Amino acid sequence: MEPETQQQIKNEIARLKAELPAGVKLLAVSKTHPAEYIACAYSVGQRCFAENKVQEMTEKQASLPKDIEWHFIGHVQTNKIKLMAPYVSMIHGIDSYKALAEVSRRAVEKNRVIDCLLQIHVATEETKFGFSPQECLEMLRSTDWRSLSGVRICGVMGMASFTSNMEQVSGEFAVLKQTFSAIKTEFFPSEDSFCEISAGMSHDYILAVEQGSTIVRIGTTIFGQRNYSSKLP
Ligand SMILES: *Cc1c(COP(=O)(O)O)cnc(C)c1O
């Protein structure tokens, strides 16, 4: 890989670590980038990486140091859970009871408990996955999720609209935080482990942190633009 790329990755990780408040976790979103980019970030101390394709994450996990924390930030397809169940550290995109139950089943098979976040739809775009705040509360009220021994619900995840309107983006992150608080009050009043708000990407992480994010998911500013076309056959 180019020396300039290596330098960019190292500089940006150092810059973000200095900028982010203590208590905000930096996830380096490495999707589409080769394992050597991850190894470069690893060499300057980055240990938490996120991917959105199970197959790709699993191939990288096999070839890289075993103390890396792998976070899955893609849409959870039930037929892919088995592949990541042995090692995944946190699954951010739980958007149905069915997905949660299937993660639990596969975790139990591996004698694990997998940390999960409930994805909340706060953006105006139709295409983004997730529960509405109301649907999420309804799911927790109406299902037997407490009996799922292979998962631990640790918080919420959300994505703001892709817009330059900062007030709108801040407002959406605020809704995510309110939803987190409503879930916490009703279902996890004394569980310290329900504490995470995964919010903020390269273009909006500062606003997300202002609105209480505890995990930011940053790809482009660290690793550069993703080249999806090179993935085509
Ligand atoms: C790709 C992705 C990111 C990172 O986006 P950047 O704009 O590259 O920082 C964050 N969250 C999710 C869910 C993603 O799919």
Side-chain angles (χ1 to χ4, degrees):
M1 73 193 277
E2 303 287 332
E4 301 82 63
T5 310
Q6 291 191 28
Q7 206 50 57
Q8 180 206 329
I9 292 171
K10 292 176 181 175
N11 289 349
E12 183 61 6
I13 284 173
R15 191 192 70 75
L16 285 163
K17 281 194 177 150
E19 181 188 29
L20 291 169
V24 175
K25 177 180 268 198
L26 171 61
L27 286 190
V29 179
S30 46
K31 63 191 188 194
T32 78
H33 296 296
E36 61 178 342
Y37 281 42
I38 299 173
C40 174
Y42 183 93
S43 77
V44 289
Q46 181 65 26
R47 291 292 178 273
C48 305
F49 294 88
E51 295 275 338
N52 71 343
K53 297 275 190 294
V54 175
Q55 190 80 39
E56 180 179 343
M57 179 168 76
T58 302
E59 283 165 20
K60 288 172 176 171
Q61 189 270 342
S63 74
L64 285 158
K66 294 299 169 271
D67 62 341
I68 288 179
E69 255 183 42
W70 293 98
H71 291 244
F72 185 70
I73 59 172
H75 180 62
V76 179
Q77 293 173 275
T78 49
N79 61 340
K80 302 275 174 64
I81 296 168
K82 184 181 159 78
L83 209 53
M84 64 177 159
Y87 68 87
V88 70
S89 202
M90 182 176 270
I91 297 179
H92 291 230
I94 299 292
D95 65 358
S96 68
Y97 176 76
K98 184 174 164 247
L100 190 66
E102 184 62 10
V103 171
S104 179
R105 189 169 81 84
R106 294 301 188 183
V108 167
E109 281 178 357
K110 297 286 170 202
N111 279 311
R112 296 191 68 215
V113 177
I114 297 177
D115 287 346
C116 289
L117 303 180
L118 302 169
Q119 184 169 355
I120 310 297
H121 184 280
V122 294
T124 51
E125 284 112 351
E126 287 292 330
T127 52
K128 292 190 177 155
F129 294 106
F131 295 103
S132 73
Q134 200 54 38
E135 281 166 355
C136 190
L137 289 162
E138 288 301 327
M139 184 279 284
L140 294 169
R141 285 174 193 143
S142 65
T143 63
D144 194 18
W145 59 273
R146 284 186 201 273
S147 71
L148 301 174
S149 59
V151 288
R152 183 168 75 157
I153 300 176
C154 295
V156 298
M157 179 268 211
M159 269 184 273
S161 298
F162 192 78
T163 168
S164 56
N165 182 337
M166 291 172 58
E167 277 165 34
Q168 182 183 346
V169 170
S170 282
E172 291 171 358
F173 287 136
V175 171
L176 185 64
K177 166 95 191 211
Q178 286 157 17
T179 308
F180 167 86
S181 300
I183 296 170
K184 172 110 186 135
T185 303
E186 186 169 340
F187 299 100
F188 303 94
S190 52
E191 279 95 335
D192 291 342
S193 55
F194 189 86
C195 62
E196 305 292 0
I197 299 177
S198 167
M201 309 166 47
S202 290
H203 64 280
D204 61 11
Y205 73 89
I206 293 174
L207 300 176
V209 168
E210 281 172 10
Q211 298 299 329
S213 170
T214 64
I215 303 177
V216 294
R217 311 177 306 264
I218 301 187
T220 306
T221 71
I222 298 173
F223 296 114
Q225 291 295 330
R226 289 178 287 273
N227 186 353
Y228 290 101
S229 62
S230 72
K231 294 266 154 192
L232 295 174

mmCIF file of all heavy atoms in Angstrom, residues 29 31 52 73 157 159 201-203 217-220 226, ligand 1:
data_model
loop_
_atom_site.group_PDB
_atom_site.id
_atom_site.type_symbol
_atom_site.label_atom_id
_atom_site.label_comp_id
_atom_site.label_asym_id
_atom_site.label_seq_id
_atom_site.Cartn_x
_atom_site.Cartn_y
_atom_site.Cartn_z
ATOM 1 N N VAL A 29 -14.255 1.887 10.560
ATOM 2 C CA VAL A 29 -15.105 1.129 9.627
ATOM 3 C C VAL A 29 -14.274 0.747 8.401
ATOM 4 O O VAL A 29 -13.971 1.582 7.551
ATOM 5 C CB VAL A 29 -16.351 1.936 9.229
ATOM 6 C CG1 VAL A 29 -17.202 1.145 8.234
ATOM 7 C CG2 VAL A 29 -17.183 2.291 10.463
ATOM 8 N N LYS A 31 -14.878 -1.670 6.056
ATOM 9 C CA LYS A 31 -15.571 -2.374 4.954
ATOM 10 C C LYS A 31 -15.002 -1.956 3.602
ATOM 11 O O LYS A 31 -14.706 -0.766 3.401
ATOM 12 C CB LYS A 31 -17.072 -2.082 5.012
ATOM 13 C CG LYS A 31 -17.426 -0.620 4.806
ATOM 14 C CD LYS A 31 -18.900 -0.343 5.130
ATOM 15 C CE LYS A 31 -19.276 1.076 4.734
ATOM 16 N NZ LYS A 31 -20.559 1.500 5.323
ATOM 17 N N ASN A 52 -19.678 -4.416 7.409
ATOM 18 C CA ASN A 52 -21.114 -4.584 7.173
ATOM 19 C C ASN A 52 -21.472 -5.790 6.306
ATOM 20 O O ASN A 52 -22.625 -5.944 5.914
ATOM 21 C CB ASN A 52 -21.733 -3.306 6.597
ATOM 22 C CG ASN A 52 -21.304 -3.047 5.167
ATOM 23 O OD1 ASN A 52 -20.317 -3.615 4.703
ATOM 24 N ND2 ASN A 52 -22.043 -2.196 4.469
ATOM 25 N N ILE A 73 -21.939 -3.961 11.630
ATOM 26 C CA ILE A 73 -22.804 -2.779 11.526
ATOM 27 C C ILE A 73 -23.755 -2.862 10.330
ATOM 28 O O ILE A 73 -24.431 -1.894 10.014
ATOM 29 C CB ILE A 73 -21.981 -1.476 11.456
ATOM 30 C CG1 ILE A 73 -21.040 -1.484 10.242
ATOM 31 C CG2 ILE A 73 -21.186 -1.265 12.745
ATOM 32 C CD1 ILE A 73 -20.336 -0.136 10.008
ATOM 33 N N MET A 157 -28.587 1.895 18.268
ATOM 34 C CA MET A 157 -27.767 2.361 17.154
ATOM 35 C C MET A 157 -28.673 3.124 16.196
ATOM 36 O O MET A 157 -29.843 2.778 16.050
ATOM 37 C CB MET A 157 -27.171 1.139 16.455
ATOM 38 C CG MET A 157 -26.300 1.429 15.266
ATOM 39 S SD MET A 157 -27.176 1.448 13.697
ATOM 40 C CE MET A 157 -25.877 0.868 12.617
ATOM 41 N N MET A 159 -28.747 5.987 12.511
ATOM 42 C CA MET A 159 -28.107 6.774 11.453
ATOM 43 C C MET A 159 -28.982 7.975 11.158
ATOM 44 O O MET A 159 -30.197 7.820 10.978
ATOM 45 C CB MET A 159 -27.993 5.939 10.173
ATOM 46 C CG MET A 159 -26.703 5.187 10.079
ATOM 47 S SD MET A 159 -26.608 4.332 8.489
ATOM 48 C CE MET A 159 -27.425 2.826 8.904
ATOM 49 N N MET A 201 -20.992 9.136 11.930
ATOM 50 C CA MET A 201 -20.106 8.645 10.880
ATOM 51 C C MET A 201 -19.142 9.781 10.522
ATOM 52 O O MET A 201 -19.131 10.817 11.187
ATOM 53 C CB MET A 201 -20.940 8.223 9.661
ATOM 54 C CG MET A 201 -22.060 7.288 10.063
ATOM 55 S SD MET A 201 -23.392 6.966 8.884
ATOM 56 C CE MET A 201 -22.548 6.632 7.357
ATOM 57 N N SER A 202 -18.362 9.593 9.458
ATOM 58 C CA SER A 202 -17.342 10.600 9.137
ATOM 59 C C SER A 202 -17.905 12.023 9.070
ATOM 60 O O SER A 202 -17.294 12.963 9.571
ATOM 61 C CB SER A 202 -16.686 10.278 7.787
ATOM 62 O OG SER A 202 -15.882 9.127 7.903
ATOM 63 N N HIS A 203 -19.069 12.171 8.449
ATOM 64 C CA HIS A 203 -19.561 13.530 8.180
ATOM 65 C C HIS A 203 -20.400 14.112 9.316
ATOM 66 O O HIS A 203 -20.722 15.293 9.285
ATOM 67 C CB HIS A 203 -20.360 13.561 6.871
ATOM 68 C CG HIS A 203 -21.596 12.721 6.931
ATOM 69 N ND1 HIS A 203 -21.558 11.351 6.767
ATOM 70 C CD2 HIS A 203 -22.887 13.044 7.184
ATOM 71 C CE1 HIS A 203 -22.795 10.880 6.882
ATOM 72 N NE2 HIS A 203 -23.607 11.873 7.144
ATOM 73 N N ARG A 217 -18.759 5.499 14.429
ATOM 74 C CA ARG A 217 -18.382 4.524 13.390
ATOM 75 C C ARG A 217 -17.815 5.296 12.208
ATOM 76 O O ARG A 217 -18.541 5.866 11.415
ATOM 77 C CB ARG A 217 -19.616 3.727 12.949
ATOM 78 C CG ARG A 217 -20.449 3.137 14.102
ATOM 79 C CD ARG A 217 -21.686 2.431 13.559
ATOM 80 N NE ARG A 217 -22.464 3.291 12.706
ATOM 81 C CZ ARG A 217 -23.526 4.009 13.089
ATOM 82 N NH1 ARG A 217 -23.950 3.958 14.334
ATOM 83 N NH2 ARG A 217 -24.148 4.783 12.230
ATOM 84 N N ILE A 218 -16.481 5.324 12.100
ATOM 85 C CA ILE A 218 -15.856 6.216 11.115
ATOM 86 C C ILE A 218 -15.018 5.427 10.111
ATOM 87 O O ILE A 218 -14.104 4.695 10.494
ATOM 88 C CB ILE A 218 -15.014 7.286 11.847
ATOM 89 C CG1 ILE A 218 -15.953 8.072 12.782
ATOM 90 C CG2 ILE A 218 -14.312 8.195 10.835
ATOM 91 C CD1 ILE A 218 -15.333 9.251 13.455
ATOM 92 N N GLY A 219 -15.360 5.587 8.852
ATOM 93 C CA GLY A 219 -14.632 4.898 7.795
ATOM 94 C C GLY A 219 -13.849 5.843 6.909
ATOM 95 O O GLY A 219 -12.612 5.845 6.895
ATOM 96 N N THR A 220 -14.558 6.678 6.176
ATOM 97 C CA THR A 220 -13.944 7.446 5.088
ATOM 98 C C THR A 220 -12.806 8.357 5.533
ATOM 99 O O THR A 220 -11.772 8.417 4.856
ATOM 100 C CB THR A 220 -15.035 8.274 4.372
ATOM 101 O OG1 THR A 220 -16.089 7.384 3.981
ATOM 102 C CG2 THR A 220 -14.487 8.960 3.139
ATOM 103 N N ARG A 226 -14.297 4.654 -0.350
ATOM 104 C CA ARG A 226 -14.441 3.232 -0.686
ATOM 105 C C ARG A 226 -14.634 3.085 -2.194
ATOM 106 O O ARG A 226 -15.346 3.861 -2.797
ATOM 107 C CB ARG A 226 -15.639 2.635 0.060
ATOM 108 C CG ARG A 226 -15.398 2.497 1.535
ATOM 109 C CD ARG A 226 -16.609 1.956 2.250
ATOM 110 N NE ARG A 226 -17.671 2.931 2.360
ATOM 111 C CZ ARG A 226 -17.787 3.830 3.339
ATOM 112 N NH1 ARG A 226 -16.894 3.864 4.304
ATOM 113 N NH2 ARG A 226 -18.777 4.681 3.358
HETATM 114 C C1 LIG B 1 -20.145 2.563 6.145
HETATM 115 C C2 LIG B 1 -20.800 2.848 7.446
HETATM 116 C C3 LIG B 1 -20.261 3.795 8.333
HETATM 117 C C4 LIG B 1 -19.023 4.620 8.027
HETATM 118 O O1 LIG B 1 -19.323 5.638 7.148
HETATM 119 P P1 LIG B 1 -18.216 6.766 6.727
HETATM 120 O O2 LIG B 1 -19.029 7.809 6.097
HETATM 121 O O3 LIG B 1 -17.280 6.087 5.794
HETATM 122 O O4 LIG B 1 -17.551 7.197 7.974
HETATM 123 C C5 LIG B 1 -20.892 3.972 9.545
HETATM 124 N N1 LIG B 1 -22.003 3.283 9.875
HETATM 125 C C6 LIG B 1 -22.559 2.378 9.053
HETATM 126 C C7 LIG B 1 -23.775 1.650 9.491
HETATM 127 C C8 LIG B 1 -21.975 2.131 7.815
HETATM 128 O O5 LIG B 1 -22.540 1.227 7.000
#
